[in-house]
Amino acid sequence: MMTNKEKSGKAARSLMMSEYQGILSTLSVEAQGYPFGSVTPYCFDRQGRPVILISRIAQHTKNILADRKVSLIAIERDGDDIQDNGRVTYLGEAMQVSADDTDTMERYYRFFPDARDYHKTHDFNFYHLEFYRVRFIGGFGKIYWVEHNSFLKENPFSPDEETRAIEHMNRDHADAIKHYCGLGNIPVTGDEPPVMVGIDGEGFNLLLGKRIHRFGFAEPVGTMQELRSELARLAKLPN
């Protein structure tokens, strides 16, 4: 049975992995002492940390080069009252991703295909956000600080395993992917077929148009056989 810390960590992680854009706050060099917020897309790297791609000339990059301390806020999309929506404030330090870390870069490109051109032509750099602490609000009165061991969860699949599984699903199981969309009440048109872009031990992400959708597993998986079984199980569930 999970402890309350583990439950809050899983809920915070699940919320953040279900979103794909947040508010990045840095410490301003132009207005010293004041936080500076800007919207940025993100996905997670294999260590379970958020990854962002930002331009060298952007104000938040200049701020990061002066002080690496940042926060990234993700807010649950659904719900009419923002005070009742879940949200996560991820505190950490922005560290530039090594130029030879092609795994992190390629994973980001799958989530955000247009970013490949930005990176090449507009002098963008990848940063991962090294974990310091997380503040999780799961709704009114559900407020927790979440520490390192409760939030970070490493992807159990290697870059090659994840890539092979994604390519196999997109190439050979397009109908199953459409079925997953039906399970999530996500409308699919013939013009924009959904594609799988990420897999980890707790779920997978589909890209439909410009929007990313998260699907969680009933139980965590850690092997390719467990992954195949869970994807097959979901494909057989009724809409």
Side-chain angles (χ1 to χ4, degrees):
M1 182 178 295
M2 287 193 297
T3 66
N4 287 335
K5 286 184 178 180
E6 290 171 333
K7 289 178 181 178
S8 60
K10 181 178 181 180
R13 184 172 60 251
S14 177
L15 190 158
M16 201 162 190
M17 295 183 82
S18 296
E19 304 303 326
Y20 56 94
Q21 55 189 357
I23 300 172
L24 177 71
S25 293
T26 55
L27 295 172
S28 177
V29 295
E30 295 294 331
Q32 291 190 5
Y34 287 88
F36 177 85
S38 53
V39 176
T40 185
Y42 67 88
C43 72
F44 278 65
D45 67 9
R46 208 155 299 280
Q47 286 70 50
R49 304 169 300 196
V51 174
I52 59 176
L53 177 62
I54 53 179
S55 170
R56 186 174 297 178
I57 65 173
Q59 186 63 56
H60 48 212
T61 306
K62 295 176 182 178
N63 296 342
I64 285 170
L65 293 177
D67 191 324
R68 298 186 182 279
K69 294 183 181 67
V70 303
S71 72
L72 180 64
I73 300 175
I75 303 173
E76 187 179 16
R77 275 173 277 174
D78 298 329
D80 297 327
D81 185 353
I82 194 169
Q83 293 295 329
D84 287 332
N85 289 5
R87 53 256 196 212
V88 175
T89 302
Y90 182 106
L91 305 177
E93 294 193 22
M95 309 296 292
Q96 189 168 338
V97 172
S98 170
D100 60 4
D101 185 358
T102 56
D103 172 42
T104 295
M105 297 178 189
E106 290 300 324
R107 197 168 201 274
Y108 188 96
Y109 293 147
R110 287 202 301 267
F111 280 71
F112 308 104
D114 293 342
R116 193 180 296 272
D117 291 332
Y118 300 158
H119 191 200
K120 289 179 179 178
T121 61
H122 297 291
D123 200 17
F124 279 60
N125 289 312
F126 287 98
Y127 289 81
H128 75 255
L129 305 187
E130 196 68 39
F131 184 95
Y132 174 68
R133 217 175 180 197
V134 156
R135 184 70 162 175
F136 171 58
I137 301 176
F140 184 78
K142 300 176 181 178
I143 304 172
Y144 308 93
W145 280 110
V146 180
E147 306 301 335
H148 182 280
N149 292 338
S150 298
F151 183 87
L152 288 186
K153 190 174 183 65
E154 188 171 347
N155 193 322
F157 303 111
S158 70
D160 181 62
E161 287 175 329
E162 183 185 16
T163 299
R164 284 192 288 111
I166 288 171
E167 290 178 348
H168 171 67
M169 291 299 297
N170 288 332
R171 182 183 62 245
D172 299 330
H173 296 290
D175 288 342
I177 291 175
K178 290 180 182 178
H179 182 84
Y180 301 151
C181 290
L183 294 176
N185 296 316
I186 301 165
V188 177
T189 66
D191 296 334
E192 286 187 311
V195 294
M196 189 171 288
V197 294
I199 298 173
D200 56 80
E202 295 181 315
F204 60 90
N205 291 84
L206 301 182
L207 176 64
L208 180 57
K210 298 289 186 181
R211 192 157 191 177
I212 296 166
H213 302 272
R214 175 74 175 174
F215 295 79
F217 295 143
E219 296 292 339
V221 301
T223 68
M224 292 297 282
Q225 181 57 50
E226 290 174 346
L227 173 62
R228 283 190 289 268
S229 297
E230 181 63 4
L231 291 173
R233 184 191 70 81
L234 287 170
K236 293 177 182 177
L237 288 176
N239 284 325

